[in-house]
Amino acid sequence: MITIKDIAKEIGISYTTVSRALNGKSGVSPKTVKKVLKEAEKMGYQPNAIARGLVKKYTNTVGLVIADITNPYYPSIARGVEDAARKIGYNVFLCNTNYDKDNEKSYLKTLQEQRVDGIIIHPAKDDLPSIYDLQTPMILINRPSHGGKTSTIEVDNERGGFLATEHLIQSGYKRISFIGGDVVSYSNNKRLEGYKQALMKYNQLIDESMIVHGSFKTKSGYTIMEKMLKLENPPDAVFAGNDVIALGVLHCAQDYGLNMPDAFGVVGFDNVQFSELPQIQLTTIDQPKYYIGKLAFEMLIEEIRNKEERIIKKIVLEPELIIRKTTQKR
Amino acid sequence: MITIKDIAKEIGISYTTVSRALNGKSGVSPKTVKKVLKEAEKMGYQPNAIARGLVKKYTNTVGLVIADITNPYYPSIARGVEDAARKIGYNVFLCNTNYDKDNEKSYLKTLQEQRVDGIIIHPAKDDLPSIYDLQTPMILINRPSHGGKTSTIEVDNERGGFLATEHLIQSGYKRISFIGGDVVSYSNNKRLEGYKQALMKYNQLIDESMIVHGSFKTKSGYTIMEKMLKLENPPDAVFAGNDVIALGVLHCAQDYGLNMPDAFGVVGFDNVQFSELPQIQLTTIDQPKYYIGKLAFEMLIEEIRNKEERIIKKIVLEPELIIRKTTQKR
DNA sequence: ATGAAAGCGCTAACAC
DNA sequence: GTGTTAGCGCTTTCAT
């Protein structure tokens, strides 16, 4: 690996001058600049961001920690932050925790050790361990502020849950179940909260046997649905914690020959890519995923740039009900 | 940010000793080690990987460059390399090029500047520009070796294309179209090659009007399919360049009321998650994505560890035909 | 306009 | 068992 010293030696000047020339700083004659640039090109010089980072104290790199890269929800967010980052010359370190608290911890640690300039995190679980007390600027997605010290961006999950459930009620379904993901997921519980509110608003009983938590996986949705079907009084509609779960519910309902959407309705959450497939046409709650990612990055950059007088922000985005074919029209 | 010097000062020893203690090296009294560890914990010390990387010359980090994080094919690969990497304490820098040559170039450059220990890349396009002449160890996925100097891992795309097309022929379809992705994609063209071979083997004419390239997007599949349907002699089956394209073809066929699979058949490639959905049940060619990622990382590590006497390898994996419901049973 | 020198945080020789 | 020192590749004063 060739360094600025090598190229300095080659053209017989000090490496300080080479550094200045390479960085387009003033105080170097145009002639020298040209010579340096040419030589650097010729020798195949690759700047060492490590060495630079050591002295400059920033790396132009941010970390993005997500739970599940195979759930299309997260890639959409990732695309948003990536695009925004690239636009101003930042790189993003994408970390996939696979819903595992330990992985998350380990990534957070590494990210800090690598001295990323900031971290955007969409935590898997609700409880934020002490590792979240980081010096590095941090933005939380779809999670409450960590001790009021971090800015957050979220969709109004409660409102989304309300919208979904209300739609089911208004569509005439009588026994609406909530099949959620992780019990300790903040967004999951907010959605459940919305579900309960809708039920209450329309004077329906909240039947705890109709509320089940599993994991944010299609398989979980299927399994839980199958169990519910064996109840003496099974649901005639399901509000699923997210689209991935909804997919499993759909699958199960189909396997058991339920007549959709007339006799059985399903609403998801996220409005993930596959939901709009003609074969699926899942009614769901949309959240502006790409935009959330973009905004999260912009908030992060702001924090990075104003490290001293940072202002804790909380952005809440409005969810939107997308009616498709897994619920009946009124 | 506190450093080893801070903690050395705090307990009145040299920072070298602190370093040794922190790294579990021999030659430090257990008592001192304990003291150091305790103080480090107390002061919230975070090792600086940047500084370490500068002297140690490696970063325990690799880059993974892919084209499209929203195509489920790539996340599967990413999971494979991530898991393998984490197992031995490596981090992976996931870079999404969005099929853009410039982005790819820029990421490759940054990755090298960050001094990642190695790079795994699934290039978007066929031509590998000079930027690929990197000092950093590199593994290519589903692409030919770069000047015989890089190890590669790929599925036998040609064979896959053959399998897909042969299945269509044997299922009785008479006019089989190939709707591909990017014209300059290596894997795409290999698949096309296999398509042609199958046609030839079964003494069918290769009709160039039945071969169309677009992009690896659902929308592209839809648009192209729509055009083909307007031909005076439209296809009665399609071998799509990948599952994402196949999805668009499927959608279009449905919109136009084609009777599937009896009057119209579709085969994809990749066996991506959604292909097995009961609502989709796409016949496709499976490639062991997770395993490819895992293997790619293992190859990379080998190269990193034996930088001097590296052996250029080429691993070719067998694809598998998965018959589902978008083609008729014979 | 250019160079010398210090120093970023750390590891690794080399003393003692 | 512990400390001293050099140096990784770079940027940044401070001189000249």
Side-chain angles (χ1 to χ4, degrees), chain B residues 154-279:
Chain B
E154 60 184 312
V155 80
D156 190 336
N157 285 291
E158 198 167 316
R159 170 101 182 125
F162 178 85
L163 252 28
T165 313
E166 181 178 53
H167 169 64
L168 250 15
I169 295 171
Q170 292 181 339
S171 298
Y173 297 105
K174 295 299 178 205
R175 192 162 166 74
I176 301 166
S177 160
F178 174 80
I179 299 184
D182 207 301
V183 212
V184 294
S185 154
Y186 169 80
S187 51
N188 186 68
N189 289 322
K190 282 289 180 190
R191 290 167 197 179
L192 174 56
E193 213 40 65
Y195 160 87
K196 287 181 178 170
Q197 278 177 16
L199 252 33
M200 275 158 56
K201 176 172 172 192
Y202 290 87
N203 299 313
Q204 301 208 4
L205 278 179
I206 291 171
D207 180 347
E208 289 293 337
S209 77
M210 285 291 103
I211 298 174
V212 192
H213 297 272
S215 69
F216 290 114
K217 296 281 185 184
T218 299
K219 205 177 162 190
S220 171
Y222 190 103
T223 318
I224 294 178
M225 180 61 195
E226 198 167 26
K227 269 189 207 133
M228 303 215 78
L229 250 24
K230 286 176 181 148
L231 259 36
E232 76 257 55
N233 193 0
D236 68 345
V238 167
F239 167 38
N242 72 6
D243 283 0
V244 170
I245 294 174
L247 206 60
V249 173
L250 235 45
H251 187 169
C252 180
Q254 229 160 308
D255 280 0
Y256 281 79
L258 266 46
N259 182 13
M260 287 187 283
D262 296 330
F264 186 77
V266 181
V267 180
F269 206 112
D270 288 348
N271 192 25
V272 125
Q273 268 182 69
F274 63 69
S275 306
E276 60 172 338
L277 291 180
Q279 300 91 341

Side-chain angles (χ1 to χ4, degrees), chain B residues 35-49:
Chain B
K35 232 190 303 184
V36 169
L37 259 32
K38 197 177 143 195
E39 192 62 30
E41 172 70 35
K42 185 179 141 205
M43 301 179 78
Y45 169 72
Q46 294 274 7
N48 185 333

Side-chain angles (χ1 to χ4, degrees), chain A residues 145-164:
Chain A
S145 177
H146 181 49
K149 285 176 301 191
T150 46
S151 288
T152 60
I153 176 164
E154 61 184 312
V155 80
D156 190 336
N157 285 290
E158 198 167 319
R159 170 100 181 124
F162 178 86
L163 253 27

Side-chain angles (χ1 to χ4, degrees), chain A residues 13-14 16-17 20 27 29 32 55 57:
Chain A
I13 57 174
S14 80
T16 314
T17 305
R20 279 197 277 253
S29 79
T32 314
V55 3
K57 306 291 192 194

Side-chain angles (χ1 to χ4, degrees), chain A residues 65 100-113 119 121 123 127-136 138 140 146 149-150, chain B residues 41 44-46:
Chain A
V65 181
D100 184 296
K101 220 52 196 148
D102 286 335
N103 287 342
E104 186 173 301
K105 219 163 165 174
S106 137
Y107 268 128
L108 243 26
K109 186 163 166 286
T110 313
L111 249 16
Q112 286 183 93
E113 291 185 5
I119 298 180
I121 164 162
D127 60 317
L128 304 180
S130 62
I131 182 84
Y132 284 84
D133 294 323
L134 18 89
Q135 291 91 326
T136 315
M138 171 170 77
L140 256 21
H146 181 49
K149 285 176 301 191
T150 46
Chain B
E41 172 70 35
Y45 169 72
Q46 294 274 7

Side-chain angles (χ1 to χ4, degrees), chain B residues 47-83:
Chain B
N48 185 333
I50 302 277
R52 175 183 293 137
L54 188 55
V55 8
K56 301 205 65 154
K57 306 293 193 192
Y58 60 77
T59 52
N60 271 355
T61 296
V62 301
L64 171 60
V65 182
I66 58 174
D68 185 6
I69 200 185
T70 65
N71 173 351
Y73 166 73
Y74 291 102
S76 295
I77 288 189
R79 284 291 317 280
V81 350
E82 263 177 357
D83 286 356

Side-chain angles (χ1 to χ4, degrees), chain A residues 146-210:
Chain A
H146 181 49
K149 285 176 301 191
T150 46
S151 288
T152 60
I153 176 164
E154 61 184 312
V155 80
D156 190 336
N157 285 290
E158 198 167 319
R159 170 100 181 124
F162 178 86
L163 253 27
T165 313
E166 181 178 53
H167 168 65
L168 249 15
I169 296 171
Q170 292 182 340
S171 298
Y173 298 104
K174 295 299 178 205
R175 191 162 168 73
I176 301 167
S177 161
F178 173 79
I179 298 184
D182 208 301
V183 211
V184 293
S185 154
Y186 169 79
S187 50
N188 186 67
N189 289 322
K190 282 291 180 187
R191 289 166 197 179
L192 173 56
E193 213 38 67
Y195 160 87
K196 288 181 178 170
Q197 279 176 16
L199 252 32
M200 277 157 56
K201 177 171 172 193
Y202 290 89
N203 299 313
Q204 303 208 2
L205 278 179
I206 292 172
D207 179 348
E208 290 293 339
S209 76
M210 285 289 103

